Amino acid sequence: RPEGCRAFLELDEEDDDDLCEALPGAPPGRTDAHRALGGAAAEVGSGDGDDVFMSYVSEVRESFKAGDSLATVVVPANDYRDITLEIVSKLLGSKLGGIYVTTSRPATHVVAEMKERKASLNDLYFVDMISLTVGGETGDPRTVFIDSPTMLESVLLNVGLLERRIKAKRHFVMFDSVNGLSIYSDTRMLKEFMNVLANTMRLRKTYTMMLTVAEQTPPELESVLVTLSDRMIRGETGDG
């Protein structure tokens, strides 16, 4: 059985112990490895779907370990919701804080789905780009509501404000759908936004993920994502 953070991150003896500090819930010597990112993937359901989830979690783990700032996660449409929620649940389960930028559905729906998974929501905050547009609920104190999905500069501003509320030493930011952003903004505007986002997060040393649905991502947009991302995650590494 793996022993502690170093085993979970697959660190060699010469690797820097500072990497373990990125997982405060799994300090050196901790044997409860399933609490670390990706450790509980085998507990979710059964069959081929588990292999898909484990592959994505494994790739996110490697990306985080490598110190990436911006990763694009390319997911199939059929598994989009489950993969998204699984990744977030595992990151929160490793006691990272998080900011979830929702461009595809109201934050209240995401919260309900996370609660069904019994995910820890104590240090998770939302930037909701949808609810004010569709007339959804806007009373959640953990959520910042954006007036319009076209206000991309407001998203970055509010992500910065929410980062001050996070209690964990390390945290992540997830944009749940590049495809959702592309509905309201053209490729040029998205490229400018993602360029600013990538460099801002590198300066802040914040791990950021951009999710995109494979079947709905045109070649021009994928080219932008490949250019700006430190890593493209496609769920193809097996058990890492």
Side-chain angles (χ1 to χ4, degrees), residues 163-205:
E163 284 182 306
R164 300 176 186 178
R165 298 174 61 181
I166 291 176
K167 297 179 286 291
K169 182 176 180 180
R170 296 291 304 275
H171 63 275
F172 65 91
V173 175
M174 171 182 275
F175 287 76
D176 74 346
S177 177
V178 175
N179 313 93
L181 291 175
S182 67
I183 293 173
Y184 304 98
S185 303
D186 61 29
T187 302
R188 181 186 62 81
M189 291 181 63
L190 273 180
K191 183 176 181 179
E192 291 177 359
F193 169 70
M194 288 187 288
N195 186 54
V196 174
L197 171 71
N199 287 298
T200 299
M201 294 309 171
R202 287 188 180 100
L203 289 174
R204 296 177 183 173
K205 299 182 179 179

Side-chain angles (χ1 to χ4, degrees), residues 47-148:
D48 293 341
D50 288 348
D51 295 336
V52 173
F53 295 157
M54 291 174 68
S55 293
Y56 276 97
V57 170
S58 176
E59 286 198 62
V60 169
R61 177 191 68 183
E62 291 300 319
S63 177
F64 185 87
K65 171 187 172 183
D68 293 341
S69 295
L70 181 64
T72 293
V73 184
V74 184
V75 299
N78 288 341
D79 294 321
Y80 164 72
R81 293 308 306 168
D82 286 334
I83 291 172
T84 303
L85 296 172
E86 187 71 8
I87 291 172
V88 174
S89 295
K90 293 300 179 288
L91 290 170
L92 295 172
S94 67
K95 297 187 178 178
L96 296 176
I99 298 172
Y100 190 124
V101 182
T102 176
T103 68
S104 62
R105 61 197 306 171
T108 52
H109 290 205
V110 179
V111 170
E113 290 174 321
M114 296 292 289
K115 286 182 177 178
E116 286 181 4
R117 291 171 172 262
K118 302 187 186 306
S120 172
L121 303 178
N122 294 333
D123 212 14
L124 179 65
Y125 299 90
F126 292 88
V127 176
D128 185 329
M129 303 180 67
I130 296 299
S131 290
L132 287 178
T133 300
V134 301
E137 297 180 22
T138 58
D140 188 351
R142 83 181 80 198
T143 303
V144 173
F145 297 92
I146 305 299
D147 289 335
S148 168

Side-chain angles (χ1 to χ4, degrees), residues 6-39:
R6 294 186 64 84
F8 166 68
L9 289 178
E10 302 174 357
L11 299 181
D12 297 324
E13 289 185 2
E14 63 270 19
D15 286 324
D16 194 337
D17 283 335
D18 288 345
L19 286 170
C20 283
E21 294 182 6
L23 295 173
R30 185 181 178 93
T31 59
D32 193 9
H34 78 278
R35 292 180 62 84
L37 170 62

